[in-house]
């Protein structure tokens, strides 16, 4: 099949910790062969799930590490800025590969979703007009974000440009770093912004997902421990389904990209 539409995808955090030549901890990936392999593995997964009708460009970049998230805010922002400048540079290079009027999409998960927000604010006006959709899987949109004219949250499958959501088992189980302060959310299964429930099938589970309109998060009726990895304990507790924001919903993101691109599927 001919590749029909283009997606710039920003990979999530795949580096927990990094050290320099003196053994001191640093807070951005050095892009060692091991780190590059981890980033490429996620990119390959996304490409496989989205299929050959969507061409995925997923650059390697000096992402902030998981340990950077635990730093004081000013130190974290220094690591974040390194990742942001790297991704914005690579996005500009990506634009140069497209035809002058070619439509495209952007998407990211977790750290990648944070950077999608920055890409939207950064891209030139003419490029922004050609961006048919932006998918922030696993990161919030805040009131401050909505002050930007480039951040127009999705209100249905085709209305609005920016899709944002985070999933928990109950609203009190949020990870504030990624969902605290959210003021909007959409359910990517049924594309509503109200509390109409929707069902998805993941592996052997049939899961009902409902949007909590007060907390602006998705609530999934699953067993907390079944969808939790103890390795994430320093960052978030059981009940936060952060890793599932990619795994649960990627098939629905695929359908939406193809819908917005006016392709038959």
């Amino acid at each position: 099949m001919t590749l029909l539409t283009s997606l710039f995808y920003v990979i999530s955090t795949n580096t927990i910790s990094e050290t320099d030549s003196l053994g001191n901890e640093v807070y951005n990936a050095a892009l060692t062969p091991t780190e590059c392999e981890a980033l490429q593995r996620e990119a390959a997964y996304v490409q496989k799930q989205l299929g050959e009708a969507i061409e995925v460009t997923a650059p390697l970049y000096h992402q902030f590490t998981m340990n950077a998230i635990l730093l004081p805010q000013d130190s974290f922002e220094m690591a974040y800025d390194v990742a942001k400048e790297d991704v914005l540079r690579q996005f500009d290079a990506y634009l140069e590969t497209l035809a002058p009027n070619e439509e495209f999409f952007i998407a990211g998960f977790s750290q990648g979703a944070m950077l999608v927000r920055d890409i939207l604010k950064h891209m030139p006006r003419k490029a922004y007009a050609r961006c048919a959709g932006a998918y922030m899987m696993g990161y919030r949109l805040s009131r401050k974000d909505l002050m930007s004219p480039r951040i127009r949250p999705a209100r249905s499958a085709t209305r609005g440009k920016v899709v944002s959501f985070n999933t928990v088992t109950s609203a009190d189980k949020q990870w504030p770093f990624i969902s605290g302060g959210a003021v909007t959310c959409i359910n990517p299964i049924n594309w509503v912004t109200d509390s109409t429930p929707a069902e998805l099938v993941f592996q052997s589970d049939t899961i009902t997902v409902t949007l909590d309109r007060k907390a602006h998060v998705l609530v999934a009726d699953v067993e907390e421990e079944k969808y939790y990895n103890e390795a994430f304990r320093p960052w978030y507790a059981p009940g936060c389904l952060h890793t599932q924001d990619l795994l649960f919903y990627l098939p629905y993101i695929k359908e939406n990209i193809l819908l917005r691109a006016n392709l038959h599927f």
Side-chain angles (χ1 to χ4, degrees):
M1 180 186 291
T2 302
L3 295 170
L4 296 173
T5 195
S6 181
L7 171 71
F8 185 86
Y9 178 79
V10 190
I11 299 166
S12 68
T13 316
N14 284 274
T15 305
I16 295 177
S17 179
E18 182 56 90
T19 55
D20 62 19
S21 60
L22 299 177
N24 299 313
E25 183 161 16
V26 294
Y27 296 99
N28 290 93
L31 298 184
T32 64
T34 299
E35 290 169 353
C36 290
E37 181 181 354
L39 271 67
Q40 290 166 335
R41 191 160 50 244
E42 180 178 330
Y45 172 80
V46 170
Q47 178 69 81
K48 182 179 179 180
Q49 296 302 310
L50 294 184
E52 58 185 2
I54 301 169
E55 181 179 23
V56 177
T57 297
L60 306 180
Y61 68 101
H62 296 280
Q63 59 180 226
F64 63 76
T65 67
M66 288 292 291
N67 280 354
I69 298 169
L70 306 176
L71 292 170
Q73 185 63 25
D74 57 346
S75 298
F76 167 74
E77 288 177 358
M78 291 175 63
Y80 183 84
D81 285 345
V82 170
K84 180 174 74 172
E85 292 307 313
D86 196 352
V87 165
L88 294 183
R89 176 182 56 81
Q90 299 206 56
F91 175 75
D92 289 342
Y94 163 78
L95 286 180
E96 293 296 320
T97 70
L98 302 179
N101 296 314
E102 186 176 349
E103 183 178 78
F104 65 92
F105 295 82
I106 58 175
F109 165 56
S110 192
Q111 177 171 177
M114 298 172 71
L115 292 163
V116 162
R117 174 196 56 185
D118 293 306
I119 292 170
L120 284 164
K121 296 176 180 180
H122 164 80
M123 70 175 68
R125 179 178 57 82
K126 289 184 178 180
Y128 178 78
R130 290 157 45 207
C131 179
Y135 302 89
M136 293 173 55
M137 297 175 281
Y139 198 68
R140 67 179 175 268
L141 284 174
S142 68
R143 193 168 304 281
K144 180 179 179 181
D145 292 330
L146 297 194
M147 294 174 65
S148 169
R150 299 294 179 86
I151 307 292
R152 290 291 173 260
R155 299 301 182 190
S156 71
T158 55
R159 289 174 54 230
K161 186 165 290 193
V162 187
V163 171
S164 171
F165 52 83
N166 294 277
T167 310
V168 292
T169 57
S170 61
D172 62 333
K173 300 298 178 69
Q174 294 183 64
W175 181 16
F177 177 74
I178 54 112
S179 59
V183 295
T184 185
C185 181
I186 193 166
N187 189 327
I189 306 171
N190 53 10
W191 297 101
V192 301
T193 56
D194 61 27
S195 56
T196 304
E199 280 192 349
L200 66 83
V201 176
F202 182 75
Q203 298 176 352
S204 61
D205 292 335
T206 299
I207 301 166
T208 301
V209 178
T210 306
L211 195 156
D212 184 310
R213 298 186 67 188
K214 183 176 180 180
H216 302 288
V217 292
L218 303 176
V219 178
D221 65 338
V222 298
E223 298 176 20
E224 290 182 357
E225 298 299 335
K226 183 175 182 178
Y227 288 94
Y228 185 70
N229 185 332
E230 282 293 331
F232 291 112
R233 182 72 68 171
W235 295 276
Y236 57 87
C240 173
L241 301 176
H242 183 56
T243 57
Q244 306 311 124
D245 283 325
L246 180 67
L247 303 178
F248 279 175
Y249 307 112
L250 203 51
Y252 304 99
I253 299 302
K254 173 184 177 179
E255 290 180 0
N256 192 253
I257 290 173
L258 296 178
L259 173 65
R260 287 173 177 253
N262 296 314
L263 301 179
H264 298 288
F265 60 98

